[in-house]
Amino acid sequence: MHNRKKILITGANGFLGSNLIKSIDSNNDIDVIPIAREMYSDISKFLNSDANIIFHFAGVNRPKSVCEFEKYNSELTNILCFELEQFVKTNQEKISIVYASSIQAELDNPYGKSKLKAETYLMNFCKKFELPLYIYRLSNLFGKWSRPNYNSVVATFCYNTANNLPIKVSDPEKEIQLTYIDDVMAEFSNIINCD
């Protein structure tokens, strides 16, 4: 008999979280611990669940205020690392962490800076405790449950086309790389199965 895997997902109600939960929903050997935004203040109690893998998807990309980039991308990640440090020290547990970053982390804008800072917090933490870390700088995700004018250029394009709304192209010469959500889920499933 083998032990069941426990997967903790921050941002569980978001685009990535919803898709990951659905993709592993039928696997009877995996327990999912979903953490939605309203639960972040109590994140430490969820870490005591003996999770094998943490999928850190929590964050914002279309905030009401620019300061929310820092609060929900980098600072939330810093809090997660702090709480994880206490857990790892106490329990001597080895936890794998998967972080959904963005290609924006390469750019000099508030969103990109907050994602890069979050990456740095995670890299420093995982290096200190020799924990496996997977950082995915995702680009232009599309697929089921993506939302127009929020998290998908493809969803926005399709929505505007279907509703006879104008389509804005800021640079017609620029090629964009699209990433299909099910391909990302297949990659995450590989991590779960190999962990």
Side-chain angles (χ1 to χ4, degrees):
M1 184 171 173
H2 59 284
N3 293 333
R4 294 169 62 83
K5 287 189 178 178
K6 292 186 180 179
I7 310 295
L8 187 146
I9 304 171
T10 69
N13 293 343
F15 179 39
L16 280 167
S18 299
N19 273 276
L20 183 59
I21 289 169
K22 183 66 176 173
S23 73
I24 60 178
D25 201 25
S26 62
N27 190 327
N28 294 325
D29 292 329
I30 298 174
D31 290 328
V32 175
I33 303 141
I35 301 179
R37 178 176 287 185
E38 60 274 8
M39 303 156 81
Y40 294 160
S41 59
D42 294 327
I43 202 162
S44 60
K45 75 177 183 182
F46 296 102
L47 298 179
N48 290 322
S49 61
D50 298 325
N52 307 103
I53 307 173
I54 294 176
F55 285 88
H56 183 35
F57 300 153
V60 296
N61 60 355
R62 297 280 189 274
K64 294 176 183 173
S65 166
V66 174
C67 65
E68 289 183 26
F69 284 131
E70 184 78 13
K71 180 178 180 181
Y72 290 111
N73 292 339
S74 49
E75 286 310 310
L76 179 63
T77 302
N78 193 30
I79 291 166
L80 176 67
C81 290
F82 175 79
E83 297 293 349
L84 272 173
E85 182 165 345
Q86 310 314 307
F87 177 74
V88 171
K89 282 180 180 176
T90 304
N91 299 285
Q92 302 295 308
E93 292 287 337
K94 289 288 184 186
I95 302 169
S96 298
I97 300 174
V98 180
Y99 179 54
S101 188
S102 166
I103 56 169
Q104 294 283 317
E106 301 168 9
L107 302 178
D108 185 24
N109 61 47
Y111 176 60
K113 287 178 182 177
S114 69
K115 294 301 268 187
L116 182 60
K117 200 170 180 181
E119 288 180 12
T120 304
Y121 287 140
L122 288 166
M123 285 188 285
N124 291 339
F125 168 73
C126 289
K127 184 177 180 182
K128 180 176 180 180
F129 292 99
E130 298 180 345
L131 300 176
L133 172 64
Y134 306 85
I135 295 176
Y136 289 86
R137 287 187 173 175
L138 301 171
S139 63
N140 301 301
L141 279 173
F142 72 99
K144 58 188 173 298
W145 305 314
S146 58
R147 291 167 38 196
N149 301 304
Y150 182 72
N151 61 14
S152 172
V153 67
V154 173
T156 302
F157 182 88
C158 293
Y159 177 85
N160 287 9
T161 300
N163 291 283
N164 293 318
L165 297 172
I167 297 169
K168 180 183 175 186
V169 178
S170 56
D171 183 358
E173 299 298 315
K174 183 178 180 182
E175 292 185 12
I176 60 172
Q177 179 182 349
L178 302 176
T179 307
Y180 182 46
I181 191 67
D182 286 356
D183 293 337
V184 176
M185 293 304 111
E187 176 71 12
F188 291 165
S189 291
N190 288 337
I191 293 172
I192 293 168
N193 293 331
C194 294
D195 190 73

PDB file of all heavy atoms in Angstrom, residues 77-100:
ATOM      1  N   THR A  77       4.073  35.785  -1.533  1.00  0.00           N
ATOM      2  CA  THR A  77       5.078  34.730  -1.698  1.00  0.00           C
ATOM      3  C   THR A  77       6.097  34.769  -0.566  1.00  0.00           C
ATOM      4  O   THR A  77       6.517  33.723  -0.060  1.00  0.00           O
ATOM      5  CB  THR A  77       5.778  34.878  -3.062  1.00  0.00           C
ATOM      6  OG1 THR A  77       4.784  34.816  -4.099  1.00  0.00           O
ATOM      7  CG2 THR A  77       6.802  33.776  -3.282  1.00  0.00           C
ATOM      8  N   ASN A  78       6.475  35.954  -0.152  1.00  0.00           N
ATOM      9  CA  ASN A  78       7.405  36.093   0.969  1.00  0.00           C
ATOM     10  C   ASN A  78       6.794  35.516   2.251  1.00  0.00           C
ATOM     11  O   ASN A  78       7.471  34.817   3.015  1.00  0.00           O
ATOM     12  CB  ASN A  78       7.776  37.564   1.163  1.00  0.00           C
ATOM     13  CG  ASN A  78       8.956  37.744   2.093  1.00  0.00           C
ATOM     14  OD1 ASN A  78       9.835  36.897   2.179  1.00  0.00           O
ATOM     15  ND2 ASN A  78       8.974  38.858   2.797  1.00  0.00           N
ATOM     16  N   ILE A  79       5.516  35.792   2.489  1.00  0.00           N
ATOM     17  CA  ILE A  79       4.813  35.236   3.647  1.00  0.00           C
ATOM     18  C   ILE A  79       4.761  33.713   3.560  1.00  0.00           C
ATOM     19  O   ILE A  79       5.010  33.003   4.545  1.00  0.00           O
ATOM     20  CB  ILE A  79       3.391  35.834   3.764  1.00  0.00           C
ATOM     21  CG1 ILE A  79       3.471  37.316   4.138  1.00  0.00           C
ATOM     22  CG2 ILE A  79       2.543  35.061   4.766  1.00  0.00           C
ATOM     23  CD1 ILE A  79       2.169  38.075   3.959  1.00  0.00           C
ATOM     24  N   LEU A  80       4.473  33.205   2.371  1.00  0.00           N
ATOM     25  CA  LEU A  80       4.435  31.759   2.167  1.00  0.00           C
ATOM     26  C   LEU A  80       5.784  31.135   2.515  1.00  0.00           C
ATOM     27  O   LEU A  80       5.858  30.126   3.214  1.00  0.00           O
ATOM     28  CB  LEU A  80       4.044  31.435   0.723  1.00  0.00           C
ATOM     29  CG  LEU A  80       4.045  29.963   0.337  1.00  0.00           C
ATOM     30  CD1 LEU A  80       2.946  29.203   1.080  1.00  0.00           C
ATOM     31  CD2 LEU A  80       3.869  29.796  -1.167  1.00  0.00           C
ATOM     32  N   CYS A  81       6.869  31.765   2.052  1.00  0.00           N
ATOM     33  CA  CYS A  81       8.219  31.254   2.348  1.00  0.00           C
ATOM     34  C   CYS A  81       8.514  31.284   3.840  1.00  0.00           C
ATOM     35  O   CYS A  81       9.089  30.335   4.389  1.00  0.00           O
ATOM     36  CB  CYS A  81       9.275  32.058   1.592  1.00  0.00           C
ATOM     37  SG  CYS A  81       9.268  31.777  -0.187  1.00  0.00           S
ATOM     38  N   PHE A  82       8.108  32.351   4.499  1.00  0.00           N
ATOM     39  CA  PHE A  82       8.325  32.462   5.948  1.00  0.00           C
ATOM     40  C   PHE A  82       7.588  31.345   6.686  1.00  0.00           C
ATOM     41  O   PHE A  82       8.149  30.669   7.558  1.00  0.00           O
ATOM     42  CB  PHE A  82       7.857  33.826   6.462  1.00  0.00           C
ATOM     43  CG  PHE A  82       7.947  33.954   7.953  1.00  0.00           C
ATOM     44  CD1 PHE A  82       9.157  34.214   8.575  1.00  0.00           C
ATOM     45  CD2 PHE A  82       6.805  33.782   8.734  1.00  0.00           C
ATOM     46  CE1 PHE A  82       9.236  34.312   9.966  1.00  0.00           C
ATOM     47  CE2 PHE A  82       6.878  33.880  10.115  1.00  0.00           C
ATOM     48  CZ  PHE A  82       8.092  34.140  10.736  1.00  0.00           C
ATOM     49  N   GLU A  83       6.317  31.153   6.349  1.00  0.00           N
ATOM     50  CA  GLU A  83       5.528  30.118   7.014  1.00  0.00           C
ATOM     51  C   GLU A  83       6.058  28.722   6.688  1.00  0.00           C
ATOM     52  O   GLU A  83       6.105  27.841   7.549  1.00  0.00           O
ATOM     53  CB  GLU A  83       4.052  30.229   6.615  1.00  0.00           C
ATOM     54  CG  GLU A  83       3.381  31.516   7.036  1.00  0.00           C
ATOM     55  CD  GLU A  83       3.239  31.667   8.544  1.00  0.00           C
ATOM     56  OE1 GLU A  83       3.463  30.691   9.278  1.00  0.00           O
ATOM     57  OE2 GLU A  83       2.895  32.781   8.986  1.00  0.00           O
ATOM     58  N   LEU A  84       6.476  28.522   5.452  1.00  0.00           N
ATOM     59  CA  LEU A  84       7.051  27.234   5.058  1.00  0.00           C
ATOM     60  C   LEU A  84       8.351  26.957   5.809  1.00  0.00           C
ATOM     61  O   LEU A  84       8.633  25.816   6.176  1.00  0.00           O
ATOM     62  CB  LEU A  84       7.324  27.212   3.550  1.00  0.00           C
ATOM     63  CG  LEU A  84       6.187  26.769   2.653  1.00  0.00           C
ATOM     64  CD1 LEU A  84       6.563  26.960   1.199  1.00  0.00           C
ATOM     65  CD2 LEU A  84       5.811  25.321   2.923  1.00  0.00           C
ATOM     66  N   GLU A  85       9.135  27.998   6.015  1.00  0.00           N
ATOM     67  CA  GLU A  85      10.398  27.830   6.733  1.00  0.00           C
ATOM     68  C   GLU A  85      10.142  27.277   8.131  1.00  0.00           C
ATOM     69  O   GLU A  85      10.840  26.354   8.578  1.00  0.00           O
ATOM     70  CB  GLU A  85      11.164  29.150   6.810  1.00  0.00           C
ATOM     71  CG  GLU A  85      12.491  29.016   7.507  1.00  0.00           C
ATOM     72  CD  GLU A  85      13.412  30.197   7.272  1.00  0.00           C
ATOM     73  OE1 GLU A  85      13.155  30.997   6.340  1.00  0.00           O
ATOM     74  OE2 GLU A  85      14.396  30.311   8.016  1.00  0.00           O
ATOM     75  N   GLN A  86       9.160  27.821   8.818  1.00  0.00           N
ATOM     76  CA  GLN A  86       8.837  27.322  10.153  1.00  0.00           C
ATOM     77  C   GLN A  86       8.401  25.860  10.090  1.00  0.00           C
ATOM     78  O   GLN A  86       8.792  25.044  10.918  1.00  0.00           O
ATOM     79  CB  GLN A  86       7.710  28.168  10.788  1.00  0.00           C
ATOM     80  CG  GLN A  86       7.921  29.668  10.753  1.00  0.00           C
ATOM     81  CD  GLN A  86       9.318  30.098  11.183  1.00  0.00           C
ATOM     82  OE1 GLN A  86       9.784  29.721  12.239  1.00  0.00           O
ATOM     83  NE2 GLN A  86       9.977  30.883  10.348  1.00  0.00           N
ATOM     84  N   PHE A  87       7.607  25.541   9.084  1.00  0.00           N
ATOM     85  CA  PHE A  87       7.113  24.173   8.929  1.00  0.00           C
ATOM     86  C   PHE A  87       8.249  23.202   8.614  1.00  0.00           C
ATOM     87  O   PHE A  87       8.352  22.128   9.210  1.00  0.00           O
ATOM     88  CB  PHE A  87       6.047  24.132   7.825  1.00  0.00           C
ATOM     89  CG  PHE A  87       5.542  22.748   7.543  1.00  0.00           C
ATOM     90  CD1 PHE A  87       4.684  22.121   8.429  1.00  0.00           C
ATOM     91  CD2 PHE A  87       5.936  22.076   6.403  1.00  0.00           C
ATOM     92  CE1 PHE A  87       4.216  20.836   8.178  1.00  0.00           C
ATOM     93  CE2 PHE A  87       5.480  20.793   6.151  1.00  0.00           C
ATOM     94  CZ  PHE A  87       4.618  20.174   7.033  1.00  0.00           C
ATOM     95  N   VAL A  88       9.113  23.565   7.678  1.00  0.00           N
ATOM     96  CA  VAL A  88      10.218  22.693   7.270  1.00  0.00           C
ATOM     97  C   VAL A  88      11.198  22.475   8.426  1.00  0.00           C
ATOM     98  O   VAL A  88      11.658  21.356   8.666  1.00  0.00           O
ATOM     99  CB  VAL A  88      10.937  23.262   6.021  1.00  0.00           C
ATOM    100  CG1 VAL A  88      12.208  22.480   5.718  1.00  0.00           C
ATOM    101  CG2 VAL A  88      10.006  23.236   4.816  1.00  0.00           C
ATOM    102  N   LYS A  89      11.502  23.534   9.151  1.00  0.00           N
ATOM    103  CA  LYS A  89      12.407  23.407  10.305  1.00  0.00           C
ATOM    104  C   LYS A  89      11.834  22.472  11.365  1.00  0.00           C
ATOM    105  O   LYS A  89      12.543  21.655  11.941  1.00  0.00           O
ATOM    106  CB  LYS A  89      12.655  24.780  10.939  1.00  0.00           C
ATOM    107  CG  LYS A  89      13.638  25.641  10.201  1.00  0.00           C
ATOM    108  CD  LYS A  89      13.772  26.969  10.936  1.00  0.00           C
ATOM    109  CE  LYS A  89      14.755  27.886  10.253  1.00  0.00           C
ATOM    110  NZ  LYS A  89      14.811  29.212  10.903  1.00  0.00           N
ATOM    111  N   THR A  90      10.558  22.589  11.616  1.00  0.00           N
ATOM    112  CA  THR A  90       9.907  21.797  12.658  1.00  0.00           C
ATOM    113  C   THR A  90       9.715  20.344  12.250  1.00  0.00           C
ATOM    114  O   THR A  90       9.945  19.427  13.037  1.00  0.00           O
ATOM    115  CB  THR A  90       8.527  22.398  13.016  1.00  0.00           C
ATOM    116  OG1 THR A  90       8.698  23.755  13.388  1.00  0.00           O
ATOM    117  CG2 THR A  90       7.869  21.643  14.141  1.00  0.00           C
ATOM    118  N   ASN A  91       9.312  20.138  11.000  1.00  0.00           N
ATOM    119  CA  ASN A  91       8.923  18.795  10.563  1.00  0.00           C
ATOM    120  C   ASN A  91       9.949  18.087   9.702  1.00  0.00           C
ATOM    121  O   ASN A  91       9.771  16.921   9.370  1.00  0.00           O
ATOM    122  CB  ASN A  91       7.595  18.869   9.797  1.00  0.00           C
ATOM    123  CG  ASN A  91       6.485  19.414  10.660  1.00  0.00           C
ATOM    124  OD1 ASN A  91       5.980  18.717  11.514  1.00  0.00           O
ATOM    125  ND2 ASN A  91       6.127  20.672  10.454  1.00  0.00           N
ATOM    126  N   GLN A  92      11.006  18.805   9.329  1.00  0.00           N
ATOM    127  CA  GLN A  92      12.046  18.216   8.468  1.00  0.00           C
ATOM    128  C   GLN A  92      11.441  17.613   7.197  1.00  0.00           C
ATOM    129  O   GLN A  92      11.876  16.575   6.714  1.00  0.00           O
ATOM    130  CB  GLN A  92      12.837  17.139   9.232  1.00  0.00           C
ATOM    131  CG  GLN A  92      13.507  17.631  10.492  1.00  0.00           C
ATOM    132  CD  GLN A  92      14.602  18.654  10.203  1.00  0.00           C
ATOM    133  OE1 GLN A  92      15.486  18.419   9.387  1.00  0.00           O
ATOM    134  NE2 GLN A  92      14.533  19.801  10.852  1.00  0.00           N
ATOM    135  N   GLU A  93      10.420  18.278   6.683  1.00  0.00           N
ATOM    136  CA  GLU A  93       9.737  17.780   5.490  1.00  0.00           C
ATOM    137  C   GLU A  93      10.395  18.312   4.219  1.00  0.00           C
ATOM    138  O   GLU A  93      10.860  19.437   4.172  1.00  0.00           O
ATOM    139  CB  GLU A  93       8.265  18.208   5.507  1.00  0.00           C
ATOM    140  CG  GLU A  93       7.433  17.563   6.590  1.00  0.00           C
ATOM    141  CD  GLU A  93       7.122  16.112   6.319  1.00  0.00           C
ATOM    142  OE1 GLU A  93       7.156  15.698   5.146  1.00  0.00           O
ATOM    143  OE2 GLU A  93       6.846  15.388   7.282  1.00  0.00           O
ATOM    144  N   LYS A  94      10.398  17.485   3.182  1.00  0.00           N
ATOM    145  CA  LYS A  94      10.842  17.913   1.864  1.00  0.00           C
ATOM    146  C   LYS A  94       9.604  18.165   1.011  1.00  0.00           C
ATOM    147  O   LYS A  94       8.811  17.257   0.781  1.00  0.00           O
ATOM    148  CB  LYS A  94      11.726  16.849   1.206  1.00  0.00           C
ATOM    149  CG  LYS A  94      13.084  16.712   1.844  1.00  0.00           C
ATOM    150  CD  LYS A  94      13.952  17.898   1.510  1.00  0.00           C
ATOM    151  CE  LYS A  94      15.357  17.716   2.078  1.00  0.00           C
ATOM    152  NZ  LYS A  94      16.177  18.905   1.905  1.00  0.00           N
ATOM    153  N   ILE A  95       9.438  19.385   0.591  1.00  0.00           N
ATOM    154  CA  ILE A  95       8.272  19.781  -0.187  1.00  0.00           C
ATOM    155  C   ILE A  95       8.747  20.325  -1.526  1.00  0.00           C
ATOM    156  O   ILE A  95       9.687  21.122  -1.580  1.00  0.00           O
ATOM    157  CB  ILE A  95       7.471  20.880   0.546  1.00  0.00           C
ATOM    158  CG1 ILE A  95       7.033  20.402   1.924  1.00  0.00           C
ATOM    159  CG2 ILE A  95       6.277  21.323  -0.272  1.00  0.00           C
ATOM    160  CD1 ILE A  95       6.485  21.515   2.799  1.00  0.00           C
ATOM    161  N   SER A  96       8.111  19.901  -2.593  1.00  0.00           N
ATOM    162  CA  SER A  96       8.386  20.485  -3.909  1.00  0.00           C
ATOM    163  C   SER A  96       7.471  21.682  -4.101  1.00  0.00           C
ATOM    164  O   SER A  96       6.312  21.662  -3.670  1.00  0.00           O
ATOM    165  CB  SER A  96       8.127  19.465  -5.022  1.00  0.00           C
ATOM    166  OG  SER A  96       8.989  18.361  -4.891  1.00  0.00           O
ATOM    167  N   ILE A  97       7.996  22.714  -4.753  1.00  0.00           N
ATOM    168  CA  ILE A  97       7.203  23.917  -5.008  1.00  0.00           C
ATOM    169  C   ILE A  97       7.181  24.198  -6.505  1.00  0.00           C
ATOM    170  O   ILE A  97       8.231  24.185  -7.163  1.00  0.00           O
ATOM    171  CB  ILE A  97       7.765  25.132  -4.255  1.00  0.00           C
ATOM    172  CG1 ILE A  97       7.750  24.862  -2.740  1.00  0.00           C
ATOM    173  CG2 ILE A  97       6.965  26.390  -4.576  1.00  0.00           C
ATOM    174  CD1 ILE A  97       8.409  25.934  -1.914  1.00  0.00           C
ATOM    175  N   VAL A  98       5.988  24.432  -7.007  1.00  0.00           N
ATOM    176  CA  VAL A  98       5.794  24.809  -8.408  1.00  0.00           C
ATOM    177  C   VAL A  98       5.216  26.222  -8.409  1.00  0.00           C
ATOM    178  O   VAL A  98       4.166  26.462  -7.808  1.00  0.00           O
ATOM    179  CB  VAL A  98       4.833  23.837  -9.127  1.00  0.00           C
ATOM    180  CG1 VAL A  98       4.637  24.256 -10.582  1.00  0.00           C
ATOM    181  CG2 VAL A  98       5.328  22.400  -9.021  1.00  0.00           C
ATOM    182  N   TYR A  99       5.902  27.135  -9.079  1.00  0.00           N
ATOM    183  CA  TYR A  99       5.452  28.528  -9.096  1.00  0.00           C
ATOM    184  C   TYR A  99       5.073  28.949 -10.508  1.00  0.00           C
ATOM    185  O   TYR A  99       5.854  28.791 -11.451  1.00  0.00           O
ATOM    186  CB  TYR A  99       6.543  29.454  -8.565  1.00  0.00           C
ATOM    187  CG  TYR A  99       6.152  30.915  -8.578  1.00  0.00           C
ATOM    188  CD1 TYR A  99       4.987  31.349  -7.961  1.00  0.00           C
ATOM    189  CD2 TYR A  99       6.939  31.869  -9.220  1.00  0.00           C
ATOM    190  CE1 TYR A  99       4.614  32.682  -7.972  1.00  0.00           C
ATOM    191  CE2 TYR A  99       6.578  33.207  -9.233  1.00  0.00           C
ATOM    192  CZ  TYR A  99       5.414  33.607  -8.614  1.00  0.00           C
ATOM    193  OH  TYR A  99       5.045  34.929  -8.628  1.00  0.00           O
ATOM    194  N   ALA A 100       3.877  29.491 -10.649  1.00  0.00           N
ATOM    195  CA  ALA A 100       3.416  30.026 -11.928  1.00  0.00           C
ATOM    196  C   ALA A 100       3.814  31.490 -12.002  1.00  0.00           C
ATOM    197  O   ALA A 100       3.162  32.352 -11.428  1.00  0.00           O
ATOM    198  CB  ALA A 100       1.914  29.867 -12.063  1.00  0.00           C
TER     199      ALA A 100
END
